[in-house]
Amino acid sequence: MTSTPLLKLSGLSKSFGAARAVEPLDLTVQAGDFCAILGPSGCGKSTLLRMIAGFIEPSSGSIAIEGRDITALGPEKRPTNMVFQSYGLFPHLTVAENVGFGLALQKKSKDEVSRRTDEALRLVRLEAFSQRMIDRLSGGQQQRVALARALIMRPKILLLDEPLAALDLKLRHQMQEELRRIHQEIGGTFIFVTHDQSEAFALANLVAVMNQGRVEQIGSPAEVYLSPATLFVADFVGETSLLAGERRQGRVTLKAGPHFASAGRDGPVRAIVRPERVGLKSDGVPAVVTDAVFFGASLKVSLRLPSDETLILRSSEADAAARYRIGERLAVGWEDQQVIDAGPG
Amino acid sequence: MIWRLVIALFLLFMLGPILLVVLFSFGSNALIGFPMGGLTLDWYTKLAQDTGFHSAFWASFIVALATATLATITGTCAALALTKAAPKLVRSALAALSLPVLLPPLVVAIAIVVLFVRGLGLGLGLPVVILGHILVAQPFVILIVMARLARFDQATVDAARDLGATHWQAFRLVTLPQIASALIGAALVSAAISLDDFIIASFTIGGGNTISTFVWGKMRTTLDPSINAIATILLVLTVGLSALALRVSKYKG
Ligand SMILES: Nc1ncnc2c1ncn2[C@@H]1O[C@H](COP(=O)(O)OP(=O)(O)OP(=O)(O)O)[C@@H](O)[C@H]1O
Ligand SMILES: [Mg+2]
């Protein structure tokens, strides 16, 4: 293996007129990575992905694949293929013709096209549907056709724009499994866009969190989850509670009461508290249960602190439902929090 | 019950004249009226031997074909360009393009003569007729094609490009097949507009006749049932073409 990364974005940005959709960013993706671009709606995820695919010309910066600059190439000349959010399947062609479209364009022999089409359809488990028209397929099946149509090209990088967003929850989980299986089976490099953090964590080994056109953090799911670089990441990723406080001479005092040692600059801070770390503590902070929602394996409890802030607690104990009744007054505490400097206010 | 009667009367009012035209074209009586005498194909034979009708028929055929082809091409290009333009521009462009639809045909005819013949020095004749018909038919093409493009999935074109198609290949293999039936519809409408027109043709044709100017000339001299025969031929032509178009466009775009 060489040291040149598979994909290298350098200073890549895009403005639409005066509006910055993507701020200059750097991103490096290695061969075999499953990379998630995670962020809320409108943060520029699609714009970034479409720049990599070649549909949007960047305002600045460059895109290199295996060290070769492809910034100026059109989408048809790039070794990338894309699964579109709305699939973009050809309604006038059958499933097999859709999947074979790219190879037919390359003037491959009929035999090869049909052999590889079968292969691709088998990979997404749609062998039985090859002669169907697109409008006779369910949403999940259409999704697989779009996937097969891109995979058959053996792209160096497969780009997926919210590929599962249109599917219902059950199908989404099923397709996540499929995507993971396919990624392992073909050993490819996937970059996918999502606004669903659980999906990003379920699939990716590399997560880039975006907010308002900026990449706020790039790292493994564990890094992003356990040590968020910014308040936004902390807030967006997972169900953390953010508690306001103040640091003075190496000691943080939270508005809600607790204080603890924490090295750093004096000034306002936020403490990040993970819901699974919160529990009952006899000498803890007084809290009132304001909401309790049962999620199969665990109970998610919202607590109101004296500072009027909300603290989320997650408990999978058997008697949780009996213990955390709405309106109940308790004393709670938590083990280790992470502290992030916050701007004034 | 009463509503059925109303509908029946309405249909009779609408279709009655047309049915009469068809019926009389097969009647042996030279006067248009009842009794119409026996059934005959005389009026068709007479037309078949009429060299004036021959040339009018071919002139109409050429004009309609050229109008349908050219207006569909130019109108489709305009529609494709408009879907990529800013919404504000589209609104004003559509308003401007729809003007010929709203203007009295007479004014359009005069304008065409002034521009093409007086202004640009083109001689009167079929080319000018065709230009005039394109002017009138094109807005309809644009509106029909834009309506189709409004529910066209642009992602299909992006997908084609992503899979290695050039702009042109993407258009030919993905856009065109999807909008084909709209284009056929637009071409038929253009042909119908062309066949239907009398005013522009009579202003710009110079010598010779299209079917409509031929009928007009005939109406002024003799009112014989061969006019009904011509009308019937036109009817069969347009209905037949539409039926064919529906069959050809097996994918309902
Ligand atoms: N062609 C365009 N012209 C002008 N502004 C655009 C254009 N495309 C996107 N934008 C703007 O750029 C920003 C980022 O858009 P983008 O589609 O990349 O967001 P996204 O993160 O994919 O959102 P979503 O999750 O809703 O798909 C948005 O504010 C959007 O309004
Ligand atoms: Mg998007």
Side-chain angles (χ1 to χ4, degrees), chain A residues 41-42 44-47 50 85 161-162 193:
Chain A
S41 182
K45 308 180 298 286
S46 294
T47 306
R50 293 174 72 83
Q85 181 165 359
D161 192 352
E162 308 216 18
V193 153

Side-chain angles (χ1 to χ4, degrees), chain B residues 148-230:
Chain B
R148 176 62 188 90
L149 288 175
R151 46 184 195 85
F152 176 82
D153 183 6
Q154 180 60 33
T156 58
V157 177
D158 287 348
R161 297 269 290 139
D162 190 60
L163 293 166
T166 60
H167 279 293
W168 169 243
Q169 284 173 321
F171 176 74
R172 192 165 51 84
L173 299 172
V174 171
T175 308
L176 206 53
Q178 289 186 71
I179 64 171
S181 48
L183 298 196
I184 292 172
L188 274 172
V189 168
S190 306
I193 288 171
S194 170
L195 285 174
D196 194 43
D197 163 72
F198 165 71
I199 298 174
I200 292 173
S202 70
F203 269 61
T204 56
I205 196 163
N209 273 319
T210 63
I211 293 179
S212 53
T213 62
F214 178 75
V215 172
W216 186 66
K218 237 177 148 45
M219 290 274 274
R220 292 203 304 176
T221 50
T222 52
L223 192 65
D224 76 22
S226 59
I227 290 173
N228 297 328
I230 299 176

Side-chain angles (χ1 to χ4, degrees), chain A residues 50 53 55 75-76 80-82 84 86-92 101-102 105 107 149-150 153, chain B residues 148 153 155-167 169-170 173-175 177-178 251:
Chain A
R50 293 174 72 83
F55 290 110
E76 77 277 18
T80 58
N81 284 103
M82 183 141 163
F84 293 83
S86 58
Y87 310 149
L89 296 174
F90 309 131
H92 58 295
F101 188 87
L105 275 178
K107 301 270 182 310
R149 186 179 64 175
M153 306 304 291
Chain B
R148 176 62 188 90
D153 183 6
T156 58
V157 177
D158 287 348
R161 297 269 290 139
D162 190 60
L163 293 166
T166 60
H167 279 293
Q169 284 173 321
L173 299 172
V174 171
T175 308
Q178 289 186 71
Y251 171 69

Side-chain angles (χ1 to χ4, degrees), chain A residues 132-195:
Chain A
R132 285 267 183 106
M133 292 309 276
I134 295 304
D135 58 0
R136 312 294 302 276
L137 297 178
S138 73
Q141 290 164 342
Q142 293 187 1
Q143 212 284 333
R144 287 161 203 248
V145 177
L147 194 58
R149 186 179 64 175
L151 284 173
I152 198 174
M153 306 304 291
R154 297 174 184 163
K156 291 219 164 83
I157 304 172
L158 181 71
L159 305 168
L160 307 110
D161 192 352
E162 308 216 18
L164 312 181
L167 307 179
D168 62 45
L169 193 65
K170 187 155 173 244
L171 205 53
R172 196 148 74 218
H173 287 313
Q174 207 175 319
M175 280 309 295
Q176 286 176 3
E177 287 303 317
E178 294 277 283
L179 271 181
R180 215 199 337 253
R181 171 182 66 84
I182 290 168
H183 178 253
Q184 277 162 9
E185 211 167 308
I186 65 173
T189 307
F190 291 8
I191 299 179
F192 81 108
V193 153
T194 178
H195 60 257

